[in-house]
Amino acid sequence: MAARSTTGGQIVPSLVLKNLMPWRFGLRRSAENTDYQDLGHGSGSLEAEYQRLVAQHLARWGVPASHVAIEVRQVGSQMGKIVFDVVVCLAHWDRITALRVLIGLPLFEKKIRKALEGQWLQDVSLLRAVLVCASASLQEREPCAELRQTLVSLTGGRSHDRRPRPLDSSFGDISRP
C-alpha cells in the first residue's frame, strides 16, 4: 500500500504527488519520448505493424492465417513518410477464402485504411495499396477450373451481349486497343 499524505483535510496518495511534483521527492522527470525510432520502432517494426493489422482484419473476415501470406513492401517515401504496399498472397486454393479475398478486396482495403486513421502508423508512413497475388499452387489445373466455374456461376456465363458499355460515347469503343 502506498504511503499517504494529508493536504487540506484530503488524503492524497504520495504516488500521485510524486508524479505531479517529482523534484520535491528528489526524482527527475524524464523527457517525453515521441520519436518512433527512439522507441525501437524502426522500419522493420513498421512493416511488422502493418502485417499485424492486416492479419487481424483477415482473421475477422474468417480467412485462416494458413491460407494467406502477408508481405509488406517498402516502396519509397513521400512527404517525409515511408510508403508501403501490402500484398496478400493466396497460399493455396480454398473456395471461401479465395472469394472473400478476391471479391472483397476493395472493401478490405477500405477497412484497413479506416483502421489506420487513429494509429501512430499514419504519422510516420503511408499505405499506397493493398494488393492480392496468387501462389503457384493456385495456377494449377484444379484450382483454376473451380475458380472458372465459380466466376461463371456468379456472372451468368460468357455472354457477349452483357459486355459493359462506356458511360460516355465520346471515348469511343474501349474494347479495342
Side-chain angles (χ1 to χ4, degrees):
M1 183 184 241
R4 295 180 180 257
S5 306
T6 55
T7 56
Q10 290 183 322
I11 297 176
V12 180
S14 63
L15 185 59
V16 172
L17 291 174
K18 285 180 183 178
N19 286 334
L20 292 175
M21 300 179 289
W23 63 89
R24 227 161 123 119
F25 294 93
L27 303 172
R28 290 185 6 216
R29 176 175 272 182
S30 62
E32 293 295 325
N33 193 352
T34 57
D35 188 5
Y36 80 97
Q37 290 178 334
D38 290 344
L39 293 171
H41 298 287
S43 66
S45 293
L46 290 174
E47 292 161 353
E49 194 64 25
Y50 274 106
Q51 194 166 20
R52 184 193 61 75
L53 180 71
V54 170
Q56 280 181 338
H57 278 76
L58 285 170
R60 285 185 195 151
W61 277 34
V63 176
S66 61
H67 291 199
V68 293
I70 303 165
E71 182 181 349
V72 180
R73 298 177 183 166
Q74 184 176 337
V75 293
S77 65
Q78 181 180 345
M79 301 182 321
K81 297 180 179 182
I82 302 168
V83 180
F84 291 100
D85 281 348
V86 172
V87 181
V88 178
C89 187
L90 294 168
H92 62 74
W93 176 252
D94 174 68
R95 183 179 183 183
I96 301 299
T97 299
L99 291 176
R100 283 184 181 159
V101 173
L102 293 171
I103 294 174
L105 181 62
L107 180 59
F108 184 73
E109 183 171 353
K110 180 181 176 183
K111 295 281 186 186
I112 295 297
R113 291 187 185 282
K114 183 78 173 168
L116 285 169
E117 284 180 6
Q119 292 198 6
W120 64 272
L121 275 173
Q122 202 174 29
D123 295 336
V124 296
S125 65
L126 297 170
L127 176 63
R128 185 177 74 170
V130 177
L131 309 166
V132 174
C133 73
S135 70
S137 67
L138 267 75
Q139 311 283 327
E140 294 173 5
R141 184 179 184 158
E142 203 172 300
C144 284
E146 189 175 347
L147 181 58
R148 189 176 307 108
Q149 185 180 29
T150 303
L151 285 173
V152 168
S153 70
L154 288 173
T155 60
R158 217 197 251 196
S159 175
H160 294 289
D161 297 334
R162 294 185 184 188
R163 195 182 305 167
R165 296 180 187 197
L167 296 174
D168 184 358
S169 61
S170 65
F171 290 113
D173 187 4
I174 61 170
S175 62
R176 287 186 238 171

